[in-house]
Every structure is written in structure tokens, then in C-alpha cells.
Amino acid sequence: VLVDEANELMKHSFEFLEEILTKGREFGIGVILASQYFSHFKTRDIDYTENLATWNIMREKQAKPKDLESIGILGSHNMYSDKINGLGIHQLLHQSYSETTFVKNRPFYKMIQEEEGDLETAEENEEDFEQMKKRCKSKDLRGNNLLHEVCMI
């Protein structure tokens, strides 16, 4: 079960969500909750962080050491929170049980072309993709289906 903007669901303290988080693995159900801030994972009734074992944290300007300690990153002080606040595109902190790792991912389009052994094309396409993203912000997309689909990614 994937819930994007999970804060919209968690703020209502639905019992079924807490049950899925605590008992779901028993039935082969996994849950991914995506939200913008750590504060979204705690309501006045439920602390959802207690039932989440794995975290992928992207740049969050409000990351505080106490938030990180609440999800098992102990002794993090400012080292981890400062690094999270400065993460770039395709970078994240992965926390699972006692393992904490910083990760830099590669975009899917680059991975596919590297797999095919065409590294030069991958680099060229990355530049083309960046140019398309800029065009997405500045142009009317009607009549250009390819560009429109890239902009929707």
C-alpha cells in the first residue's frame, strides 16, 4: 500500500491504518507512507513512527536531531540533520533497523542506457532531459506529446 501525502490520512487517526502498520506483514502487506515533514507522522492520538522500520529521507529543511533519534538514528546531533538539510537531487538517507546510509541514486533513464552499455548516450540524454525540464516550465505543451509525457514524469 503506497500513500502519497500521507499526512492527509494520518491526521484523521484512522484505526485501520494503525492496524495495517502493526499487523500487515502477517498477511504479506507492506506500507509506504510519503509525506513532507517528520511532524506529519505524529498525531495527538498516534505516533506512526513507532511502527515504521525503514525510512528514506530526502532533503528536509526542518530535520532536527530529536526527529532522527525518534526513528532510531541515535546520537545524530547535528551531523545527520545538517547533512539531510543539504541533500541534493537523487540523494537520500536510508535508515533500516540499525543501519544508516547516505545514498545517491541514478535516474531511471540513465540506468537503462548504462545497462545497454551506451554511457555517452546516457550523459547526452541526461543533458537533453534537463533541457526538456526547463522547457516544461516555460512553454505551452499543447501539440507536443513527447515533451508533454516527459514533463509529466
Side-chain angles (χ1 to χ4, degrees), residues 1-3 6 9 16-25 28-34 48 51-54:
V1 178
L2 169 62
V3 183
L9 186 64
F16 79 88
L17 181 58
E18 188 175 20
E19 283 189 43
I20 289 173
L21 288 170
T22 57
K23 301 175 185 172
R25 284 184 296 186
I29 298 172
V31 179
I32 298 172
L33 300 175
Y48 291 99
N51 295 306
L52 299 172
T54 301

Side-chain angles (χ1 to χ4, degrees), residues 31-47:
V31 179
I32 298 172
L33 300 175
S35 193
Q36 300 292 322
Y37 305 104
F38 283 108
S39 61
H40 292 165
F41 291 91
K42 294 181 183 179
T43 68
R44 63 175 185 201
D45 300 322
I46 301 171
D47 181 357

Side-chain angles (χ1 to χ4, degrees), residues 40-147:
H40 292 165
F41 291 91
K42 294 181 183 179
T43 68
R44 63 175 185 201
D45 300 322
I46 301 171
D47 181 357
Y48 291 99
T49 64
E50 293 175 353
N51 295 306
L52 299 172
T54 301
W55 291 79
N56 287 308
I57 305 166
M58 293 170 223
R59 185 175 183 182
E60 200 219 290
K61 293 180 181 178
Q62 299 177 8
K64 298 176 185 76
K66 69 176 185 161
D67 295 323
L68 299 175
E69 289 174 4
S70 75
I71 63 168
I73 302 175
L74 303 175
S76 58
H77 307 289
N78 287 329
M79 183 182 94
Y80 287 120
S81 58
D82 287 347
K83 200 162 182 179
I84 289 169
N85 295 337
L87 289 172
I89 295 173
H90 305 297
Q91 296 178 338
L92 60 89
L93 177 137
H94 175 79
Q95 163 69 21
S96 188
Y97 300 99
S98 62
E99 182 183 325
T100 303
T101 310
F102 282 93
V103 177
K104 180 172 182 177
N105 291 314
R106 288 180 302 192
F108 70 91
Y109 59 89
K110 188 172 182 179
M111 290 170 37
I112 290 169
Q113 290 174 340
E114 286 175 356
E115 192 173 283
E116 294 170 354
D118 193 354
L119 295 177
E120 286 181 31
T121 305
E123 289 173 5
E124 289 170 10
N125 282 351
E126 187 169 352
E127 290 172 14
D128 290 344
F129 187 75
E130 292 302 319
Q131 289 176 352
M132 280 192 204
K133 285 194 322 191
K134 287 177 187 174
R135 287 174 46 197
C136 289
K137 294 177 183 176
S138 64
K139 290 197 174 189
D140 182 4
L141 301 176
R142 287 176 289 200
N144 190 339
N145 292 334
L146 175 63
L147 182 57

